[in-house]
Coordinates of all heavy atoms in Angstrom, one line a residue:
M1 N 83.5 103.8 112.9 CA 84.2 102.9 111.9 C 84.0 101.5 112.3 O 84.3 101.1 113.4 CB 85.6 103.3 111.8 CG 86.4 102.5 110.8 SD 88.0 103.2 110.7 CE 88.8 102.0 109.7
S2 N 83.6 100.7 111.4 CA 83.3 99.3 111.7 C 84.6 98.5 111.5 O 85.6 98.9 110.9 CB 82.3 98.7 110.8 OG 82.7 98.7 109.5
K3 N 84.6 97.3 112.1 CA 85.8 96.5 112.1 C 85.3 95.1 111.6 O 84.2 94.8 111.7 CB 86.5 96.4 113.4 CG 87.1 97.7 113.9 CD 88.0 97.5 115.0 CE 88.6 98.9 115.3 NZ 90.0 98.8 115.6
L4 N 86.3 94.3 111.2 CA 86.0 92.9 110.7 C 86.6 91.9 111.7 O 87.8 92.0 112.0 CB 86.5 92.7 109.3 CG 85.9 93.6 108.3 CD1 86.6 93.4 106.9 CD2 84.4 93.3 108.1
K5 N 85.9 90.9 112.1 CA 86.4 89.8 112.8 C 86.7 88.7 111.8 O 85.7 88.2 111.2 CB 85.5 89.4 114.0 CG 86.0 88.2 114.8 CD 85.0 87.8 115.8 CE 85.6 86.6 116.6 NZ 84.6 86.1 117.5
I6 N 87.9 88.3 111.7 CA 88.3 87.3 110.7 C 88.8 86.0 111.4 O 89.7 86.1 112.3 CB 89.4 87.8 109.8 CG1 88.9 89.2 109.2 CG2 89.7 86.9 108.6 CD1 90.0 90.0 108.7
T7 N 88.3 84.9 111.1 CA 88.6 83.6 111.7 C 89.2 82.7 110.7 O 88.6 82.5 109.6 CB 87.4 83.0 112.4 OG1 86.8 83.9 113.2 CG2 87.8 81.7 113.1
L8 N 90.4 82.1 111.0 CA 91.0 81.1 110.1 C 90.3 79.8 110.3 O 90.4 79.2 111.4 CB 92.5 81.0 110.5 CG 93.3 80.2 109.6 CD1 93.4 80.7 108.1 CD2 94.8 80.1 110.1
V9 N 89.7 79.3 109.3 CA 88.9 78.0 109.4 C 89.4 76.9 108.6 O 89.0 75.7 108.7 CB 87.4 78.2 109.0 CG1 86.7 79.2 110.0 CG2 87.3 78.7 107.6
K10 N 90.5 77.1 107.8 CA 91.0 76.0 107.0 C 92.6 76.1 107.1 O 93.1 77.2 107.1 CB 90.6 76.2 105.5 CG 91.1 75.1 104.6 CD 90.6 75.2 103.2 CE 91.1 74.1 102.3 NZ 90.9 74.4 100.9
S11 N 93.2 74.9 107.1 CA 94.6 74.8 107.2 C 95.3 75.4 106.0 O 94.8 75.3 104.9 CB 95.0 73.4 107.4 OG 96.4 73.3 107.5
V12 N 96.5 76.0 106.2 CA 97.2 76.6 105.1 C 98.3 75.7 104.6 O 99.1 76.0 103.7 CB 97.9 77.9 105.5 CG1 96.8 79.0 105.8 CG2 98.8 77.8 106.7
I13 N 98.3 74.4 105.1 CA 99.3 73.4 104.6 C 99.0 73.2 103.1 O 97.8 72.9 102.8 CB 99.2 72.1 105.4 CG1 99.6 72.4 106.8 CG2 100.0 71.0 104.8 CD1 99.4 71.2 107.8
G14 N 100.0 73.3 102.3 CA 99.8 73.1 100.9 C 99.2 74.2 100.1 O 98.9 74.1 98.9
S15 N 99.1 75.4 100.7 CA 98.5 76.5 100.0 C 99.6 77.3 99.3 O 100.8 77.0 99.5 CB 97.8 77.5 101.0 OG 98.8 78.0 101.9
V16 N 99.2 78.2 98.5 CA 100.2 79.0 97.7 C 101.0 79.8 98.7 O 100.5 80.4 99.6 CB 99.4 79.9 96.8 CG1 100.3 80.8 96.0 CG2 98.5 79.1 95.8
P17 N 102.3 79.9 98.5 CA 103.2 80.7 99.5 C 102.7 82.1 99.7 O 102.8 82.7 100.8 CB 104.6 80.6 98.9 CG 104.5 79.3 98.1 CD 103.1 79.2 97.5
K18 N 102.2 82.8 98.6 CA 101.8 84.2 98.7 C 100.6 84.3 99.7 O 100.5 85.2 100.5 CB 101.4 84.7 97.3 CG 101.1 86.2 97.4 CD 100.9 86.7 96.0 CE 100.7 88.2 96.0 NZ 100.6 88.8 94.6
N19 N 99.6 83.3 99.6 CA 98.5 83.3 100.5 C 98.9 83.0 101.9 O 98.4 83.6 102.8 CB 97.5 82.2 100.0 CG 96.8 82.6 98.7 OD1 96.9 83.8 98.2 ND2 96.0 81.7 98.2
R20 N 99.9 82.1 102.1 CA 100.4 81.8 103.4 C 101.0 83.1 104.0 O 100.8 83.3 105.2 CB 101.4 80.7 103.3 CG 101.7 80.1 104.7 CD 102.7 79.0 104.6 NE 102.1 77.9 103.7 CZ 102.8 77.0 103.1 NH1 104.1 76.9 103.3 NH2 102.2 76.1 102.4
A21 N 101.7 83.8 103.2 CA 102.3 85.1 103.7 C 101.3 86.1 104.1 O 101.4 86.8 105.1 CB 103.3 85.7 102.7
I22 N 100.2 86.2 103.4 CA 99.1 87.1 103.7 C 98.5 86.7 105.0 O 98.2 87.5 105.9 CB 98.1 87.1 102.6 CG1 98.6 87.8 101.3 CG2 96.8 87.9 103.1 CD1 97.7 87.7 100.1
I23 N 98.3 85.4 105.2 CA 97.7 84.9 106.5 C 98.6 85.2 107.7 O 98.1 85.7 108.7 CB 97.3 83.4 106.3 CG1 96.2 83.2 105.4 CG2 97.0 82.8 107.7 CD1 95.9 81.8 104.9
E24 N 99.9 85.0 107.5 CA 100.8 85.3 108.6 C 100.8 86.8 108.9 O 100.9 87.2 110.1 CB 102.2 84.8 108.3 CG 102.3 83.3 108.3 CD 103.7 82.8 107.9 OE1 104.6 83.6 107.8 OE2 103.8 81.6 107.7
S25 N 100.8 87.6 107.9 CA 100.9 89.1 108.1 C 99.6 89.6 108.7 O 99.7 90.7 109.4 CB 101.1 89.8 106.7 OG 100.0 89.8 105.9
M26 N 98.5 88.9 108.6 CA 97.3 89.4 109.2 C 97.3 89.0 110.7 O 96.4 89.5 111.5 CB 96.1 88.8 108.5 CG 95.8 89.3 107.1 SD 94.5 88.6 106.3 CE 93.2 89.7 106.8
G27 N 98.2 88.2 111.2 CA 98.3 87.9 112.6 C 97.8 86.6 113.0 O 97.6 86.3 114.2
F28 N 97.5 85.7 112.1 CA 97.0 84.3 112.5 C 98.2 83.5 112.9 O 99.2 83.5 112.3 CB 96.3 83.7 111.3 CG 95.0 84.4 110.9 CD1 94.8 85.1 109.8 CD2 93.9 84.3 111.8 CE1 93.7 85.7 109.4 CE2 92.7 84.9 111.4 CZ 92.6 85.6 110.3
H29 N 97.9 82.6 113.9 CA 99.0 81.7 114.4 C 98.5 80.3 114.3 O 99.3 79.4 114.1 CB 99.4 82.1 115.8 CG 100.1 83.4 115.9 ND1 101.3 83.7 115.3 CD2 99.6 84.6 116.4 CE1 101.6 85.0 115.5 NE2 100.6 85.5 116.2
K30 N 97.2 80.0 114.7 CA 96.7 78.7 114.7 C 95.3 78.6 114.0 O 94.7 79.7 113.8 CB 96.5 78.2 116.2 CG 97.8 78.2 116.9 CD 97.7 77.4 118.2 CE 96.7 77.8 119.2 NZ 96.8 77.2 120.5
L31 N 94.9 77.4 113.7 CA 93.6 77.2 113.2 C 92.5 77.6 114.2 O 92.7 77.5 115.4 CB 93.4 75.7 112.8 CG 92.3 75.3 111.9 CD1 92.5 76.0 110.5 CD2 92.3 73.8 111.7
N32 N 91.4 78.2 113.7 CA 90.3 78.7 114.5 C 90.7 79.9 115.4 O 90.0 80.3 116.3 CB 89.7 77.6 115.4 CG 89.1 76.6 114.6 OD1 88.4 76.9 113.6 ND2 89.2 75.3 114.9
S33 N 91.8 80.6 115.1 CA 92.2 81.8 115.8 C 91.5 83.0 115.0 O 91.2 82.9 113.9 CB 93.7 82.0 115.8 OG 94.2 82.1 114.5
S34 N 91.2 84.0 115.8 CA 90.5 85.2 115.2 C 91.3 86.5 115.4 O 92.1 86.6 116.4 CB 89.2 85.4 115.9 OG 88.3 84.3 115.6
V35 N 91.2 87.4 114.5 CA 91.8 88.7 114.6 C 90.7 89.7 114.2 O 89.8 89.5 113.5 CB 93.0 88.9 113.7 CG1 94.2 88.0 114.1 CG2 92.7 88.6 112.2
V36 N 90.8 90.9 114.8 CA 89.9 92.0 114.5 C 90.7 93.1 113.8 O 91.7 93.6 114.4 CB 89.3 92.6 115.8 CG1 88.4 93.8 115.4 CG2 88.5 91.5 116.5
L37 N 90.4 93.4 112.6 CA 91.1 94.4 111.8 C 90.1 95.4 111.3 O 88.9 95.2 111.2 CB 91.7 93.7 110.6 CG 92.8 92.6 110.9 CD1 93.2 91.9 109.6 CD2 94.0 93.2 111.5
P38 N 90.6 96.6 110.9 CA 89.7 97.7 110.4 C 89.2 97.3 109.1 O 89.8 96.6 108.3 CB 90.7 98.9 110.3 CG 92.0 98.4 110.3 CD 92.0 97.1 111.0
D39 N 88.0 97.8 108.8 CA 87.3 97.5 107.5 C 87.7 98.6 106.5 O 87.1 99.7 106.5 CB 85.8 97.6 107.7 CG 85.0 97.2 106.5 OD1 85.7 96.8 105.5 OD2 83.8 97.3 106.5
N40 N 88.8 98.3 105.8 CA 89.3 99.3 104.8 C 89.6 98.5 103.5 O 89.5 97.3 103.4 CB 90.4 100.1 105.3 CG 91.6 99.2 105.7 OD1 91.8 98.1 105.2 ND2 92.4 99.7 106.7
A41 N 90.0 99.2 102.5 CA 90.3 98.6 101.2 C 91.4 97.6 101.2 O 91.4 96.5 100.6 CB 90.6 99.7 100.1
A42 N 92.5 97.9 102.0 CA 93.6 97.0 102.1 C 93.2 95.6 102.7 O 93.6 94.5 102.2 CB 94.7 97.6 102.9
T43 N 92.4 95.7 103.8 CA 92.0 94.5 104.5 C 91.0 93.7 103.6 O 91.1 92.5 103.5 CB 91.3 94.8 105.8 OG1 92.2 95.6 106.6 CG2 90.9 93.6 106.5
R44 N 90.1 94.4 102.9 CA 89.2 93.7 101.9 C 90.0 93.0 100.8 O 89.6 91.9 100.4 CB 88.2 94.7 101.4 CG 87.2 95.3 102.3 CD 86.1 94.3 102.6 NE 85.2 94.8 103.5 CZ 84.0 94.3 103.8 NH1 83.6 93.2 103.2 NH2 83.2 94.8 104.7
G45 N 91.0 93.6 100.3 CA 91.8 93.0 99.3 C 92.5 91.7 99.8 O 92.6 90.7 99.1
Q46 N 93.0 91.8 101.0 CA 93.7 90.6 101.6 C 92.6 89.5 101.8 O 92.9 88.3 101.5 CB 94.3 90.9 102.9 CG 95.5 91.8 102.8 CD 96.1 92.1 104.1 OE1 95.4 92.2 105.1 NE2 97.4 92.3 104.2
I47 N 91.5 89.8 102.2 CA 90.4 88.8 102.5 C 90.0 88.2 101.1 O 89.8 87.0 101.1 CB 89.2 89.5 103.2 CG1 89.6 89.8 104.6 CG2 88.0 88.5 103.1 CD1 88.5 90.7 105.3
R48 N 89.9 89.0 100.1 CA 89.6 88.4 98.8 C 90.6 87.4 98.3 O 90.2 86.4 97.7 CB 89.5 89.6 97.7 CG 88.7 89.2 96.5 CD 88.4 90.4 95.6 NE 87.7 91.4 96.3 CZ 88.2 92.7 96.4 NH1 89.4 93.0 95.8 NH2 87.5 93.6 97.0
R49 N 91.9 87.6 98.6 CA 92.9 86.6 98.2 C 92.8 85.3 99.0 O 93.1 84.2 98.5 CB 94.3 87.2 98.4 CG 94.6 88.3 97.5 CD 94.9 87.9 96.1 NE 96.0 86.9 96.1 CZ 96.7 86.5 95.1 NH1 96.4 87.0 93.9 NH2 97.7 85.7 95.2
I50 N 92.4 85.4 100.3 CA 92.5 84.2 101.1 C 91.0 83.8 101.5 O 90.9 83.1 102.5 CB 93.3 84.5 102.4 CG1 92.8 85.6 103.2 CG2 94.8 84.7 102.0 CD1 93.3 85.7 104.6
A51 N 90.0 84.1 100.7 CA 88.6 83.8 101.1 C 88.4 82.3 101.4 O 87.6 82.0 102.3 CB 87.7 84.3 99.9
P52 N 89.0 81.3 100.7 CA 88.7 80.0 101.0 C 89.1 79.5 102.4 O 88.7 78.5 103.0 CB 89.4 79.1 100.0 CG 89.7 80.1 98.9 CD 89.8 81.4 99.5
Y53 N 90.0 80.3 103.0 CA 90.6 79.9 104.3 C 90.0 80.6 105.5 O 90.3 80.2 106.7 CB 92.1 80.3 104.3 CG 92.9 79.6 103.2 CD1 93.2 80.3 102.0 CD2 93.3 78.3 103.3 CE1 93.9 79.7 101.0 CE2 94.0 77.6 102.3 CZ 94.3 78.3 101.1 OH 94.9 77.7 100.1
V54 N 89.2 81.6 105.3 CA 88.7 82.4 106.4 C 87.2 82.6 106.4 O 86.5 82.4 105.4 CB 89.3 83.8 106.4 CG1 90.8 83.7 106.6 CG2 89.0 84.6 105.2
K55 N 86.7 83.0 107.6 CA 85.3 83.3 107.8 C 85.3 84.8 108.3 O 86.0 85.1 109.2 CB 84.6 82.4 108.8 CG 83.1 82.7 109.1 CD 82.5 81.8 110.1 CE 83.0 82.1 111.4 NZ 82.3 81.4 112.5
V56 N 84.4 85.6 107.8 CA 84.4 87.1 108.1 C 83.1 87.5 108.7 O 82.1 87.1 108.2 CB 84.7 87.9 106.8 CG1 84.8 89.4 107.2 CG2 86.0 87.5 106.2
E57 N 83.2 88.2 109.8 CA 82.0 88.8 110.5 C 82.3 90.3 110.7 O 83.4 90.7 111.0 CB 81.8 88.1 111.8 CG 81.6 86.6 111.8 CD 81.6 86.0 113.1 OE1 81.3 86.7 114.1 OE2 81.9 84.8 113.2
E58 N 81.2 91.1 110.6 CA 81.3 92.5 110.8 C 81.1 92.8 112.3 O 80.1 92.3 112.9 CB 80.3 93.3 110.0 CG 80.6 94.7 110.0 CD 79.8 95.5 108.9 OE1 79.4 94.9 107.9 OE2 79.6 96.7 109.1
V59 N 81.9 93.6 112.9 CA 81.8 94.0 114.3 C 81.6 95.5 114.4 O 82.5 96.2 113.9 CB 83.1 93.5 115.1 CG1 83.0 93.9 116.5 CG2 83.3 92.0 115.0
N60 N 80.6 95.9 115.0 CA 80.4 97.4 115.2 C 80.8 97.8 116.6 O 80.6 97.1 117.5 CB 78.9 97.7 115.0 CG 78.4 97.5 113.6 OD1 79.2 97.8 112.6 ND2 77.2 97.0 113.4
E61 N 81.5 98.9 116.6 CA 82.0 99.4 117.9 C 81.1 100.6 118.4 O 80.6 101.4 117.7 CB 83.4 99.9 117.8 CG 84.3 98.8 117.6 CD 85.8 99.2 117.7 OE1 86.1 100.3 118.0 OE2 86.6 98.3 117.5

């Protein structure tokens, strides 16, 4: 099963509160921090909502 490495590349100051909540729930704390999450429908949906704020790379295990 592949995983996604997601990096926060844009500040969430002034963003929509729902998008800010999604970013916090994914585990981001600071700008340029990265998290590795499973590649599933729920994660893809979250990424679609916060696409302007993140960079996504595929990581194979």
Side-chain angles (χ1 to χ4, degrees):
M1 181 173 169
S2 65
K3 295 194 177 222
L4 298 173
K5 179 181 178 186
I6 308 161
T7 306
L8 185 64
V9 295
K10 185 177 177 191
S11 175
V12 295
I13 295 174
S15 66
V16 178
K18 187 172 185 176
N19 289 352
R20 191 177 305 159
I22 291 171
I23 289 169
E24 288 177 11
S25 71
M26 292 178 89
F28 293 110
H29 297 291
K30 297 196 305 190
L31 198 60
N32 294 320
S33 61
S34 296
V35 293
V36 177
L37 297 172
D39 185 7
N40 57 27
T43 305
R44 291 281 181 169
Q46 289 177 331
I47 291 169
R48 197 170 305 122
R49 293 285 302 194
I50 61 167
Y53 302 100
V54 296
K55 179 178 76 171
V56 181
E57 303 169 22
E58 190 168 337
V59 178
N60 292 323
E61 289 188 6

